[in-house]
Amino acid sequence: MTTAWVHAEVPQTGADAAAFELLAAARAAADVVEVVAFGPGSSAAAEALGAHGARRVYACDEASMASARAGALILERLIQEHRPDLVLFPTSYAGRDLAARLQARTGSTLMSNATAVSGPDRARTEILGGTRIVDVRLEGPTPRLVLLKPRSAEPEPVADGGVADVVPVAADVPADLREPRVLTRQVEAGSGPSLDDARVVVAGGRGLGSPQGFEILAALADAIEGAAVGASRAAVDAGWMPYASQIGQTGKTVKPDVYIAVGISGALQHLVGMKGSRRVIAVNKDADAPMMRLADLGVVGDLAQFVPALTQEIRRRTGS
Amino acid sequence: MNVVVFVKWVPEPEGTPTLGPEHRLVRAGVEGALDPGDEYGVEAALEITETQGGEVTVISMGPDEALPAVRRALAMGAHRGVLVTDERLAGADALVTARVLAAAVSGRPADLLLAAVESTDGYTGTVPVTVAEFLDLPAVTFATRLSFSDGELRARRQTPAGSEDVACSLPALVTLTAGANEPRYPSLKGIMAAKSKSLERPTADDLGLDAQSLVATQTVEAVQDAPVRGGGEILPAGEDAARRVVDLLAEARVI
Ligand SMILES: Cc1cc2nc3c(=O)[nH]c(=O)nc-3n(C[C@H](O)[C@H](O)[C@H](O)COP(=O)(O)OP(=O)(O)OC[C@H]3O[C@@H](n4cnc5c(N)ncnc54)[C@H](O)[C@@H]3O)c2cc1C
Ligand SMILES: Nc1ncnc2c1ncn2[C@@H]1O[C@H](COP(=O)(O)O)[C@@H](O)[C@H]1O
């Protein structure tokens, strides 16, 4: 019998798709699946996590446990006690930090950027901008640690789910553990639907030339119900769009029904974040841009003229 | 303030890297450079020591080919360089790399350790924080801005929802995002001066690491080409193209 643990991040709104994806991936890799969740709301998520196949939730509801140093200490202790074969983490800011600290403590191997896990010692990743698929065997001390990329598995409730058993975990960490203190938080409120679950993503790059360029893109997104606006890193680094809208290796991974890339060349680091899209439409003045070669439909020309014309055509057809 | 910067040499940062035998990136005999992402750390370290005093030490693990990356950091103005080279480190994974880097820092005065959020070639994004854990240090990751106040570090960091400002006592490790500053170009004077700067070349043995701790625990079993998509249609912009795009949106049932 093999056991996989999922480190679930439970946001204030309750366990969400990110945790369910990990649970689906864990079920494909091991016989028994359990969850470790730290921070407020962890115990309360037992029902939702159980419905997605978790038998047990090791939960610590203390807010202080959300920190990577404290989390790694407690997680190491739980691992020594229960000896899982595999621990899956989300590729998120906190997930990376926690897994990175844990590998130093347990001396067990940590695989980053995994796209699938086929057993307690086998995982898959994609390299070179997703052009090559690599199967990796994980060795050394157990448990093996894997950071799974978002959108690598489909959430899937189980028929015989039920509520997961909650095993309360004490937040027993040294008081003198030095940690950064948060002074202020800024939320960059993106308007419209979130990139993560938008059916259509309209993404812009350096080709838009300025923040005003993104206004014509926003107008296009506005004409398509449920469309969200994303950006390449070039556009984010230029300060035209917030980081939260970056798509690619260091940003978000999206898999919409339709991805419309406007003024984006299609660098490997961008493609890894969007190549799972069902259909790709590209607008670029350069017919040879890599994005054009990948697109189902590529439109060659000046975006400043074409995009407003397209928006108008959509409005005409939908009568909006 | 004494600052350590982890810098990595990466093969062909602008091109498409080549896979060699045992499915490793080919690092021997190819053009390479200091990882562009690591220049932000070097620049930040230089700015800090220029205003506060202290020295910048750049530490790297890599083959002999990696020497130019360390030299470039020295030419930018870093005071001393360390390049750990050992045949047994070819194929090192993130854990082994972190062990080596942590061992290379040990015994050096370091108030602040800087690294990039992720490297251009490996992009595990975990090496720096694993080093921090080995050295029992707090870490601020995804920093876009750094400053100091009352002997404490202040940083703005990216978060999924936007950003946050944090304070952290020293010593600490910080990972910097691309675009955190404007890395300088080495001046001719800097390039000349780099030649006489201290450059240490320890092996793993010199760092006191035993053979077992150098064994990578990830083995590539198979590599295959991902299914290629594309072969789509390319049209000139115009009314017809706009109609075709709308047809495709309708087909996908999103309008
Ligand atoms: C470690 C690392 C991580 C990275 N992570 C990411 C990431 O997460 N996401 C990401 O996107 N990038 C990432 N990058 C950067 C990536 O390599 C590219 O530099 C970036 O994606 C380029 O953005 P772009 O396509 O908008 O810009 P460019 O490559 O400059 O492309 C602009 C395109 O616009 C077209 N264009 C210009 N004007 C017009 C016009 N008037 N009409 C129509 N078309 C026009 C041009 O033909 C060109 O194809 C990363 C790089 C590194 C090294
Ligand atoms: N071999 C290495 N030598 C020096 N620094 C490294 C090495 N590998 C990783 N780093 C540091 O860790 C950062 C993140 O690397 P990675 O974990 O590979 O994404 C790099 O940008 C460097 O700052």
Side-chain angles (χ1 to χ4, degrees):
Chain A
M1 280 250 287
T2 52
T3 302
W5 280 7
V6 162
H7 176 257
E9 288 169 3
V10 181
Q12 275 164 0
T13 42
D16 62 10
F20 303 153
E21 285 170 21
L22 288 176
L23 282 167
R27 271 152 49 205
D31 306 317
V32 177
V33 175
E34 298 173 342
V35 165
V36 189
F38 299 148
S42 296
S43 306
E47 189 171 346
L49 296 167
H52 283 262
R55 294 230 190 130
R56 244 187 212 176
V57 180
Y58 296 95
C60 180
D61 294 331
E62 298 282 329
S64 63
M65 288 302 302
S67 102
R69 285 193 93 181
L73 268 175
I74 300 291
L75 197 44
E76 183 195 14
R77 225 174 278 155
L78 286 172
I79 285 168
Q80 279 168 354
E81 196 179 331
H82 303 283
R83 311 224 154 264
D85 301 286
L86 173 73
V87 186
L88 296 185
F89 298 86
T91 302
S92 61
Y93 287 68
R96 268 186 174 184
D97 288 356
L98 177 61
R101 288 201 179 267
L102 188 65
Q103 81 164 336
R105 302 194 69 86
T106 60
S108 40
T109 200
L110 167 60
M111 172 150 162
S112 291
N113 299 311
T115 53
V117 189
S118 58
D121 57 0
R122 274 183 172 68
R124 172 170 274 196
T125 184
E126 294 175 359
I127 58 164
L128 306 182
T131 55
R132 300 282 183 84
I133 298 170
V134 180
D135 290 308
V136 178
R137 195 173 64 239
L138 308 173
E139 297 151 337
T142 51
R144 278 65 189 245
L145 314 176
V146 174
L147 279 158
L148 196 71
K149 290 188 67 168
R151 302 279 163 135
S152 294
E154 280 293 321
E156 206 190 319
V158 290
D160 53 352
V163 182
D165 296 329
V166 176
V167 181
V169 176
D172 186 9
V173 292
D176 59 353
L177 209 59
R178 285 197 301 126
E179 288 277 28
R181 306 185 310 280
V182 178
L183 306 174
T184 56
R185 288 204 166 89
Q186 295 85 27
V187 176
E188 285 168 350
S191 53
S194 101
L195 267 180
D196 299 298
D197 25 63
R199 291 189 62 204
V200 179
V201 171
V202 181
R206 200 191 317 263
L208 288 176
S210 66
Q212 290 73 42
F214 271 89
E215 284 166 21
I216 65 167
L217 215 58
L220 171 61
D222 213 37
I224 308 170
E225 210 191 308
V229 179
S232 74
R233 176 156 131 188
V236 171
D237 284 350
W240 304 340
M241 286 292 280
Y243 171 72
S245 60
Q246 182 171 315
I247 291 163
Q249 183 178 308
T250 21
K252 296 212 151 110
T253 303
V254 297
K255 288 192 176 175
D257 287 342
V258 182
Y259 190 85
I260 309 180
V262 180
I264 296 179
S265 63
L268 291 179
Q269 295 92 346
H270 184 80
L271 299 185
V272 288
M274 52 63 67
K275 68 179 179 47
S277 307
R278 292 274 289 281
R279 295 178 179 80
V280 177
I281 299 168
V283 181
N284 202 304
K285 64 180 183 190
D286 174 10
D288 294 323
M291 185 65 87
M292 296 290 265
R293 275 182 261 136
L294 171 136
D296 300 285
L297 187 58
V299 178
V300 189
D302 183 9
L303 62 89
Q305 262 135 48
F306 183 72
V307 175
L310 174 60
T311 306
Q312 224 174 18
E313 179 65 15
I314 294 171
R315 291 213 178 271
R316 194 182 66 78
R317 289 269 282 270
T318 57
S320 62
Chain B
M1 180 163 329
N2 291 306
V3 188
V4 164
V5 190
F6 297 117
V7 299
K8 188 178 183 186
W9 174 84
V10 295
E12 308 171 75
E14 307 295 335
T16 307
T18 323
L19 284 190
E22 298 183 48
H23 312 300
R24 287 177 189 162
L25 286 186
V26 173
R27 291 180 201 271
V30 298
E31 285 289 307
L34 171 62
D35 191 328
D38 288 337
E39 292 189 9
Y40 302 98
V42 177
E43 177 63 34
L46 293 173
E47 288 173 14
I48 291 164
T49 53
E50 277 159 11
T51 53
Q52 309 191 29
E55 288 199 336
V56 177
T57 303
V58 292
I59 298 183
S60 188
M61 180 192 100
D64 291 334
E65 279 83 356
L67 211 47
V70 178
R71 286 240 165 80
R72 178 166 175 111
L74 292 174
M76 285 172 75
H79 300 81
R80 46 186 77 239
V82 180
L83 174 62
V84 187
T85 305
D86 199 306
E87 268 175 19
R88 293 169 296 173
L89 292 172
D93 53 19
L95 179 58
V96 171
T97 305
R99 273 193 196 115
V100 170
L101 296 178
V105 176
S106 295
R108 288 173 203 281
D111 305 299
L112 180 65
L113 275 56
L114 296 176
V117 166
E118 59 183 13
S119 60
T120 301
D121 61 344
Y123 65 100
T124 74
T126 58
V127 167
V129 175
T130 305
V131 172
E133 183 68 23
F134 277 131
L135 299 174
D136 204 17
L137 294 177
V140 175
T141 52
F142 279 89
T144 55
R145 216 182 282 164
L146 270 187
S147 62
F148 297 89
S149 167
D150 300 331
E152 266 198 338
L153 169 85
R154 294 287 160 93
R156 170 157 294 185
R157 61 187 298 261
Q158 286 175 356
T159 64
S163 62
E164 63 191 20
D165 292 337
V166 301
C168 189
S169 60
L170 296 172
L173 175 134
V174 174
T175 69
L176 286 171
T177 62
N181 51 36
E182 289 277 340
R184 66 194 68 184
Y185 283 102
S187 64
L188 193 58
K189 203 170 131 228
I191 294 168
M192 297 310 290
K195 296 195 170 125
S196 55
K197 286 180 177 168
S198 156
L199 180 61
E200 297 168 44
R201 300 289 316 268
T203 63
D205 292 328
D206 296 333
L207 298 176
L209 293 161
D210 60 35
Q212 191 53 37
S213 64
L214 307 181
V215 179
T217 43
Q218 293 181 15
T219 312
V220 172
E221 291 196 310
V223 179
Q224 53 183 304
D225 288 332
V228 274
R229 61 177 304 154
E233 212 177 333
I234 306 238
L235 298 172
E239 276 172 35
D240 182 47
R243 271 195 298 274
R244 296 294 298 280
V245 172
V246 181
D247 288 345
L248 201 149
L249 294 175
E251 244 172 70
R253 298 171 183 278
V254 296
I255 55 169

